């Protein structure tokens, strides 16, 4: 079946540090890949997506590249801010369903 | 304008009661979903409707019954509530059923069963 494995948290960083959250997936066919972000007390928002191999999704300084050869979609940001504190979910879409990773809680300290 | 809205935002009830959560989207999407997020933040799909037709029904107790009166609404009715039903329930919608279509999520309904 389809599944997503995500780096376990929590992750605590200082402002302006580099953030990377690892995500690997198992799927048949060619899924679309997504990163969603959930701020405290809110629903999920799409952060970025990639629909085919070697696509790079980017938004708000975050980037992730769809790597078919390593079945990965790692999230990176070069310089985090306190406002980036949230839970980040990697997800894949296949067979009409969105399958989520377990989520990674990121806390950025001033 | 709120894209996907849910009511109520909080729901506290006792074991054995029956309750409903309502969801509405004003995006013109034809596919809607219910997800359950547990206390460890793990998200799992429960149901999906496309054009008012059920297309995904995961292994969910039959105490949970979704109802879609039209494409813009998807309600969730829960009978005989149990302690384990306590969670945050999210409604979502998307333009289509597959491929790159983004899902838009509502703000969630926090259900607490005592």
């Amino acid at each position: 079946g389809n599944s997503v494995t995500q780096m376990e948290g929590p992750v605590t960083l200082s402002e302006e540090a580099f953030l990377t959250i690892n995500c690997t997936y198992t799927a048949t066919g060619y899924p679309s890949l997504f990163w969603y972000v959930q701020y405290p007390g809110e629903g999920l928002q799409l952060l970025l997506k990639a629909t085919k191999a070697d696509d790079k999704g980017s938004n708000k300084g975050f980037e992730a590249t769809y790597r078919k050869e390593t079945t990965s979609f790692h999230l990176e940001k070069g310089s985090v801010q306190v406002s980036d504190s949230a839970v980040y979910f990697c997800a894949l879409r296949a067979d009409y369903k969105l399958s989520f990773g377990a989520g990674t809680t990121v806390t950025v300290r001033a | 304008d709120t894209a996907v809205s849910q009511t109520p935002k909080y729901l506290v009830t006792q074991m054995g009661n029956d309750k409903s959560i309502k969801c509405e989207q004003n995006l013109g999407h034809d596919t809607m979903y219910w997800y359950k997020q547990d206390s460890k933040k793990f998200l799992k799909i429960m149901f999906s409707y496309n054009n008012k037709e059920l297309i995904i029904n995961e292994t969910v107790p039959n105490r949970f019954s979704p109802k879609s009166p039209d494409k813009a609404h998807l309600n969730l009715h829960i009978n005989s509530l149990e302690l384990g039903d306590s969670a945050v329930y999210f409604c979502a919608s998307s333009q289509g059923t597959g491929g790159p279509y983004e899902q838009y999520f509502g703000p969630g309904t926090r259900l607490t069963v005592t």
Side-chain angles (χ1 to χ4, degrees), chain B:
Chain B
D1 279 347
T2 303
V4 182
S5 59
Q6 293 178 230
T7 53
K9 189 167 173 63
Y10 300 96
L11 185 51
V12 180
T13 189
Q14 292 185 326
M15 275 177 25
N17 285 348
D18 303 339
K19 290 293 178 187
S20 291
I21 306 172
K22 296 188 174 184
C23 177
E24 176 181 2
Q25 54 95 3
N26 63 7
L27 297 167
H29 292 165
D30 57 9
T31 306
M32 296 184 72
Y33 311 81
W34 278 110
Y35 288 87
K36 179 180 180 180
Q37 186 175 46
D38 64 21
S39 58
K40 295 185 178 178
K41 301 287 188 186
F42 187 72
L43 269 160
K44 189 162 173 24
I45 189 162
M46 301 172 69
F47 302 104
S48 176
Y49 271 74
N50 176 253
N51 285 319
K52 302 197 302 173
E53 191 174 324
L54 183 66
I55 59 169
I56 295 174
N57 185 353
E58 292 293 286
T59 309
V60 177
N62 57 16
R63 298 182 294 104
F64 290 78
S65 53
K67 282 193 172 50
S68 181
D70 55 57
K71 285 199 311 183
H73 296 85
L74 180 62
N75 304 323
L76 183 66
H77 188 75
I78 316 170
N79 289 328
S80 304
L81 277 154
E82 300 178 357
L83 292 177
D85 297 332
S86 295
V88 181
Y89 292 84
F90 287 101
C91 177
S93 72
S94 67
Q95 184 178 350
T97 56
Y101 295 118
E102 173 187 351
Q103 290 188 17
Y104 292 79
F105 284 78
T109 295
R110 182 175 294 276
L111 171 64
T112 304
V113 183
T114 60

Side-chain angles (χ1 to χ4, degrees), chain A residues 69-84:
Chain A
E69 64 277 12
T70 54
T71 61
S72 65
F73 193 54
H74 305 320
L75 182 69
E76 297 181 336
K77 184 173 185 181
S79 176
V80 293
Q81 306 299 314
V82 172
S83 57
D84 294 324

Side-chain angles (χ1 to χ4, degrees), chain A residues 2-84:
Chain A
N2 301 320
S3 66
V4 177
T5 302
Q6 199 175 326
M7 182 175 117
E8 282 193 30
V11 174
T12 303
L13 303 163
S14 297
E15 237 177 351
E16 299 183 6
F18 183 86
L19 170 68
T20 182
I21 304 176
N22 289 340
C23 171
T24 57
Y25 67 89
T26 302
T28 53
Y30 303 96
S32 296
L33 302 175
F34 304 84
W35 277 99
Y36 280 84
V37 59
Q38 184 179 26
Y39 298 104
E42 296 184 13
L44 279 75
Q45 303 173 27
L46 180 69
L47 183 57
L48 52 85
K49 69 179 182 184
T51 59
K52 61 184 188 298
D54 300 324
D55 265 2
K56 178 188 280 189
S58 60
N59 185 26
K60 299 182 182 179
F62 290 90
E63 291 183 343
T65 301
Y66 189 143
R67 301 279 187 209
K68 189 167 179 292
E69 64 277 12
T70 54
T71 61
S72 65
F73 193 54
H74 305 320
L75 182 69
E76 297 181 336
K77 184 173 185 181
S79 176
V80 293
Q81 306 299 314
V82 172
S83 57
D84 294 324

